């Protein structure tokens, strides 16, 4: 079992729709969860982080965390073609408290079509 | 832009050679971590430097080594290059260990 699992996609959504990206993780002690966006040929960019169960909203983005189910999701409302990218879910394992070791999933490719 | 700069952006080496990659961290960021991203995969943690010392390491062999300088810039050195070392090498700077990383644009290494 991979430590962080994501559906590779592509997830294709029409412009203006809600895109829902999902991620599961295996380390039950993980405390911090991140979503990074990576455009083709570019480096990852942090877009959201969440530490507590529930929802966290930032503009068009909402991160959702359910620690009991070991599940993290990212919702993108009013999707735009500029949102087309690979979205990487990352988890900070419990044992990495002293340093920035993140476990990344392989990413979900999102394609927003006009 | 994150303010993290890496050089070189692209390079080609042959198996067995050595390579040095460089990173300048964002102003005010005292922690630098390095990640390797193979094609189609997520980044994998190599190691982290804080106060010029390595304070965390992933599952990479000793031929991957690094340095951090007093101005917080950093180097990643890889000896005895193997074909599987071909990847995008990402430097990320941060303040503390929150996991909020600011990545540079990466150095793409091809080993032939």
């Amino acid at each position: 079992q991979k430590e962080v699992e994501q559906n590779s996609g592509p997830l294709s959504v029409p412009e203006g729709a809600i895109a829902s990206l999902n991620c599961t993780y295996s380390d039950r002690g993980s405390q911090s969860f991140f979503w990074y966006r990576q455009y083709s040929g570019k480096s990852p960019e942090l877009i959201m982080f969440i530490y507590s169960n529930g929802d966290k909203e930032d503009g068009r983005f909402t991160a959702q965390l359910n620690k009991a189910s070991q599940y993290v999701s990212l919702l993108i409302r009013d999707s735009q073609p500029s949102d087309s990218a690979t979205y990487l879910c990352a988890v900070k394992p419990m044992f990495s408290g002293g340093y920035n070791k993140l476990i990344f999933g392989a990413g979900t490719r999102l394609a927003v079509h006009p | 832009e994150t303010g993290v700069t890496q050089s070189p952006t692209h390079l080609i080496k042959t198996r067995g050679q050595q390579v040095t990659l460089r990173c300048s961290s964002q102003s005010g960021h005292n922690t630098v971590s390095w990640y390797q991203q193979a094609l189609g995969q997520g980044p994998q943690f190599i190691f982290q430097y804080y106060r010029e010392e390595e304070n965390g390491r992933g599952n990479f062999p000793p031929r991957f080594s690094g340095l951090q300088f007093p101005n917080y810039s950093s180097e990643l050195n890889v000896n005895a290059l193997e074909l599987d070392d071909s990847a995008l090498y990402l430097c990320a700077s941060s303040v503390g260990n929150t996991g909020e990383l600011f990545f540079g644009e990466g150095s793409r290494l091809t080993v032939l």
Side-chain angles (χ1 to χ4, degrees):
Chain A
Q1 180 191 7
K2 291 183 180 178
E3 293 179 87
V4 178
E5 294 207 53
Q6 299 181 253
N7 188 321
S8 62
L11 173 65
S12 182
V13 300
E15 185 174 356
I18 296 175
S20 178
L21 303 158
N22 304 314
C23 169
T24 58
Y25 60 94
S26 61
D27 179 2
R28 188 170 288 278
S30 299
Q31 298 296 316
S32 309
F33 307 86
F34 305 85
W35 285 98
Y36 285 81
R37 176 177 61 199
Q38 187 170 27
Y39 291 112
S40 181
K42 299 295 186 181
S43 61
E45 171 193 12
L46 177 65
I47 54 172
M48 289 285 290
F49 58 87
I50 187 167
Y51 301 143
S52 304
N53 273 331
D55 294 1
K56 179 182 178 182
E57 187 174 317
D58 184 0
R60 295 187 297 114
F61 298 97
T62 299
Q64 299 175 318
L65 173 61
N66 184 326
K67 288 186 179 180
S69 301
Q70 294 173 245
Y71 180 90
V72 194
S73 65
L74 179 70
L75 301 178
I76 305 175
R77 289 181 299 281
D78 188 23
S79 295
Q80 301 296 310
S82 59
D83 294 326
S84 299
T86 296
Y87 288 80
L88 299 164
C89 173
V91 174
K92 194 169 189 290
M94 182 174 63
F95 60 81
S96 70
Y99 48 93
N100 281 313
K101 177 177 181 177
L102 299 185
I103 308 296
F104 283 84
T108 298
R109 190 158 59 92
L110 173 66
V112 181
H113 53 87
Chain B
E1 288 198 10
T2 63
V4 180
T5 58
Q6 292 187 243
S7 63
T9 54
H10 295 82
L11 67 166
I12 300 173
K13 294 286 188 177
T14 56
R15 195 171 49 182
Q17 285 189 310
Q18 177 265 343
V19 68
T20 297
L21 308 177
R22 295 177 175 83
C23 171
S24 294
S25 61
Q26 185 173 341
S27 177
H29 287 189
N30 56 11
T31 302
V32 174
S33 48
W34 286 89
Y35 283 77
Q36 179 197 66
Q37 186 175 24
L39 202 60
Q41 300 299 315
Q44 277 196 294
F45 178 77
I46 302 174
F47 46 52
Q48 176 175 291
Y49 277 83
Y50 173 68
R51 291 187 175 180
E52 303 175 50
E53 291 193 2
E54 182 185 300
N55 71 336
R57 191 176 184 93
N59 294 327
F60 281 81
R63 59 190 185 85
F64 286 78
S65 63
L67 286 171
Q68 186 183 32
F69 301 99
N71 66 354
Y72 306 138
S73 65
S74 178
E75 286 183 356
L76 164 65
N77 299 291
V78 187
N79 293 322
L81 285 167
E82 300 177 0
L83 298 179
D84 284 349
D85 295 333
S86 296
L88 179 67
Y89 288 85
L90 295 162
C91 168
S93 75
S94 59
V95 177
N97 298 308
T98 61
E100 298 169 40
L101 303 178
F102 297 87
F103 286 97
E105 287 303 314
S107 294
R108 185 165 297 281
L109 171 65
T110 302
V111 182
L112 302 176

